[in-house]
Amino acid sequence: MPIPEGVTGEELDKDVRQELQSLPKTLADDVARNLVMVARLIDEDPEAAYGYSKVALRLASRVAAVREAAGFAAYANQKYGEALAEFRAARRMTGNVDLWPVMADCERGLGRPEKALEMAGAPEVHKLDKAGQVEMRLVAAGARRDMGQLDAAIVTLQSPELASNAVQPWTARLRYAYADALLAAGRESEAREWFAKAVESDRDGSTDASDRLAELDGVEFVDALDESEGEDAPGEDDKDDRN
């Protein structure tokens, strides 16, 4: 797959570049450039990112960072079985537990919410940092909803992190998930309150909390361009009137 000339591989995190040093220099550079493309495209064009990840995987399947990148690219394309296999391989190579929440979410994607809940109660969760533990809580709540256990999902999300006024990278998503669960349970007034709190903390627009809040308030957005296109263009009669 083509890679822009300006992509050198130096854009990668230092830790990943160090991992690639186990490879011959030319090969390491090729793998690095493909990994850069995965990172650049995974949100805007996940299918293309997946293609670059497969190239990197073919070149260096024994590098944990490559397996992890391939896992995230597969995950972004909803290829949950493939993603889970790659994440497991990366974890075997590193012994790191950081991927535990996304592995559990893959189990959800495969239609196995019970397995995701089992993972949420595993000893590995205690080894996660705060962000990882919050992510695990989000996955567990999603698994509860998959199983139709709305009240349990709401309780799962109730935590010191949810109650805190401090804004952390995970705050908006946690508040949003709580609001969405409340709304699904028919608790609209509480849901509105928490969507508003999600908006306050969503500094980078990672959720559509503002749209959900507007919807609850009955606000409708009109596309000005579409409206103008719907107006009749001046006809011959209009020209006559102007003469």
Side-chain angles (χ1 to χ4, degrees):
M1 297 182 67
I3 298 176
E5 289 185 9
V7 175
T8 66
E10 292 298 317
E11 301 89 342
L12 292 176
D13 290 343
K14 181 180 178 181
D15 291 345
V16 177
R17 294 202 306 272
Q18 286 180 339
E19 269 196 75
L20 296 177
Q21 287 178 1
S22 63
L23 303 173
K25 178 69 167 60
T26 302
L27 180 59
D29 289 344
D30 288 344
V31 173
R33 294 175 70 218
N34 278 281
L35 292 182
V36 170
M37 295 306 296
V38 174
R40 285 189 177 183
L41 296 172
I42 196 163
D43 292 327
E44 62 185 57
D45 190 350
E47 187 174 348
Y50 179 74
Y52 284 106
S53 76
K54 297 300 281 186
V55 174
L57 194 59
R58 187 175 68 248
L59 295 173
S61 61
R62 295 185 179 182
V63 176
V66 172
R67 304 302 290 265
E68 183 174 331
F72 277 110
Y75 179 81
N77 284 274
Q78 300 183 358
K79 299 177 184 290
Y80 298 116
E82 186 176 333
L84 185 58
E86 297 300 342
F87 290 142
R88 283 173 173 167
R91 184 167 179 267
R92 282 195 302 270
M93 292 175 178
T94 64
N96 200 315
V97 298
D98 290 353
L99 294 171
W100 197 252
V102 71
M103 289 169 63
D105 205 38
C106 286
E107 295 288 0
R108 284 186 61 210
L110 291 168
R112 301 194 290 248
E114 298 89 352
K115 177 62 177 176
L117 285 176
E118 180 184 327
M119 293 178 69
E124 284 83 352
V125 176
H126 300 293
K127 300 175 184 178
L128 295 169
D129 61 14
K130 181 62 69 176
Q133 290 179 4
V134 171
E135 194 65 35
M136 193 73 249
R137 189 178 293 275
L138 287 166
V139 173
R144 290 292 185 189
R145 291 190 63 171
D146 294 343
M147 298 166 69
Q149 300 173 2
L150 276 174
D151 289 341
I154 290 170
V155 171
T156 298
L157 293 167
Q158 292 170 346
S159 61
E161 293 81 19
L162 179 68
S164 174
N165 290 322
V167 176
Q168 303 291 346
W170 59 76
T171 303
R173 291 178 60 239
L174 185 58
R175 291 176 176 179
Y176 182 95
Y178 189 58
D180 194 46
L182 289 168
L183 187 61
R187 295 160 62 174
E188 187 171 315
S189 62
E190 293 173 85
R192 190 204 175 283
E193 175 188 351
W194 282 96
F195 275 127
K197 290 182 178 181
V199 170
E200 291 173 1
S201 56
D202 194 1
R203 295 169 177 170
D204 59 358
S206 61
T207 74
D208 64 347
S210 59
D211 292 340
R212 299 293 299 277
L213 183 60
E215 184 180 337
L216 285 174
D217 288 342
V219 177
E220 293 186 7
F221 296 100
V222 177
D223 190 323
L225 182 60
D226 287 346
E227 190 174 76
S228 63
E229 288 177 349
E231 296 175 356
D232 292 334
E236 292 300 321
D237 291 342
D238 297 319
K239 294 179 182 177
D240 292 341
D241 290 342
R242 288 196 296 271
N243 291 334

